[in-house]
Amino acid sequence: MESNLLKINNGIALTVRALCQHMGIEYDSSLVFDELPMVDAVLPAQAMDPKTAATNRVEYQLLNQAVEAEKIQKKMTMGELMTQVSISGMSVYYDAMDQTENLNLALANVSIPISDWWGGSHKIKQQQLKVEKAEVELEEKTEMLALQVEQASNEITESWFQLKITEKSVEQARENLTITADNYHSGILSISDLLEAQALFQSANDTLTEALCGYRIKKARFLQSVNEYN
């Protein structure tokens, strides 16, 4: 037991050092955690639709902006091929030999890109294909994001129920240890029975610790998938 305790303490020290390195803070051997991982009393609310939750993701917003950018580019391409009309004017006033007169001139310029009609039409079709490609990619990636949300939701649900089962196992092991200890002190059971009950209780606690860590990881992944991780 002393040997195992030494291994545990060394493992804790190494884990704390690794955590400090991961967080980018200076290692302090006196560092302690003032909050233990807590278990949610009820399963985290997951009533949101996976596809709706996916639209809150940064990835979706970027893809949506890419679609809008392609649509704007298409409008710009179409604008280059439209007839352009420019109007200019000027007014001249002169005074000669006691005679004055105003001259007003107006000029209109119409530019029709006839020579680029075929090429311009091809450019518009190309740009439309880019718009459609961006829309298809948006739809496909949205489905993938929705699947990620649904998978994360299923995993946290399974982990939560597994944790609750493990908690019951610990309670049963604790009750068994209490009864076994009483029977041992009464001379009904042997020391081997007591040691076995203690080992079962310790094993149940170890399983609970693993289940708790697994649940916290699944919860963090779920919150990340719905863009609510802080």
Side-chain angles (χ1 to χ4, degrees):
M1 291 179 63
E2 291 179 354
S3 175
N4 289 334
L5 181 61
L6 178 61
K7 292 180 180 179
I8 291 174
N9 289 331
N10 289 338
I12 292 174
L14 290 175
T15 303
V16 172
R17 187 182 294 275
L19 178 62
C20 292
Q21 182 181 16
H22 181 73
M23 297 175 61
I25 62 176
E26 185 176 354
Y27 170 72
D28 185 355
S29 59
S30 62
L31 179 67
V32 294
F33 299 98
D34 59 358
E35 179 181 354
L36 294 176
M38 302 300 295
V39 182
D40 296 312
V42 295
L43 189 64
Q46 302 170 46
M48 67 180 70
D49 177 63
K51 200 162 187 176
T52 302
T55 59
N56 296 326
R57 296 275 293 267
V58 176
E59 297 93 328
Y60 172 86
Q61 297 171 7
L62 291 174
L63 290 170
N64 194 46
Q65 290 179 1
V67 173
E68 294 301 321
E70 294 295 349
K71 289 182 178 179
I72 293 174
Q73 186 62 42
K74 178 185 174 182
K75 291 181 180 179
M76 293 174 62
T77 302
M78 294 176 63
E80 294 175 355
L81 301 175
M82 296 182 68
T83 301
Q84 300 179 7
V85 179
S86 61
I87 300 176
S88 60
M90 59 180 290
S91 178
V92 178
Y93 171 81
Y94 68 91
D95 183 358
M97 300 180 65
D98 296 329
Q99 293 183 355
T100 61
E101 189 170 350
N102 287 326
L103 293 178
N104 297 316
L105 299 177
L107 300 175
N109 182 35
V110 179
S111 176
I112 303 176
I114 298 177
S115 60
D116 199 32
W117 273 0
W118 183 87
S121 177
H122 184 65
K123 289 181 181 179
I124 293 176
K125 290 181 180 179
Q126 281 188 325
Q127 194 58 45
Q128 177 60 29
L129 290 176
K130 291 182 180 180
V131 172
E132 294 175 359
K133 180 181 178 181
E135 290 176 339
V136 170
E137 184 177 5
L138 173 62
E139 184 177 356
E140 290 179 349
K141 293 297 176 63
T142 301
E143 290 292 338
M144 292 179 60
L145 293 174
L147 286 175
Q148 288 181 2
V149 173
E150 188 172 0
Q151 181 180 4
S153 177
N154 293 337
E155 288 180 352
I156 189 177
T157 301
E158 295 169 1
S159 182
W160 187 84
F161 279 106
Q162 182 63 41
L163 185 58
K164 292 301 177 182
I165 294 174
T166 306
E167 288 179 336
K168 292 180 180 180
S169 298
V170 171
E171 290 301 320
Q172 292 175 354
R174 181 181 288 106
E175 292 177 3
N176 178 64
L177 177 59
T178 300
I179 295 173
T180 303
D182 292 340
N183 290 333
Y184 168 74
H185 292 299
S186 299
I188 300 176
L189 297 177
S190 64
I191 185 65
S192 61
D193 295 322
L194 178 60
L195 292 175
E196 182 180 357
Q198 289 177 338
L200 290 174
F201 178 66
Q202 183 60 50
S203 177
N205 276 283
D206 292 342
T207 303
L208 177 61
T209 300
E210 294 177 0
L212 178 58
C213 292
Y215 171 74
R216 299 292 293 187
I217 293 174
K218 299 297 184 183
K219 182 178 180 180
R221 289 177 179 173
F222 170 75
L223 294 176
Q224 284 181 328
S225 69
V226 296
N227 200 32
E228 293 183 2
Y229 185 77
N230 296 321

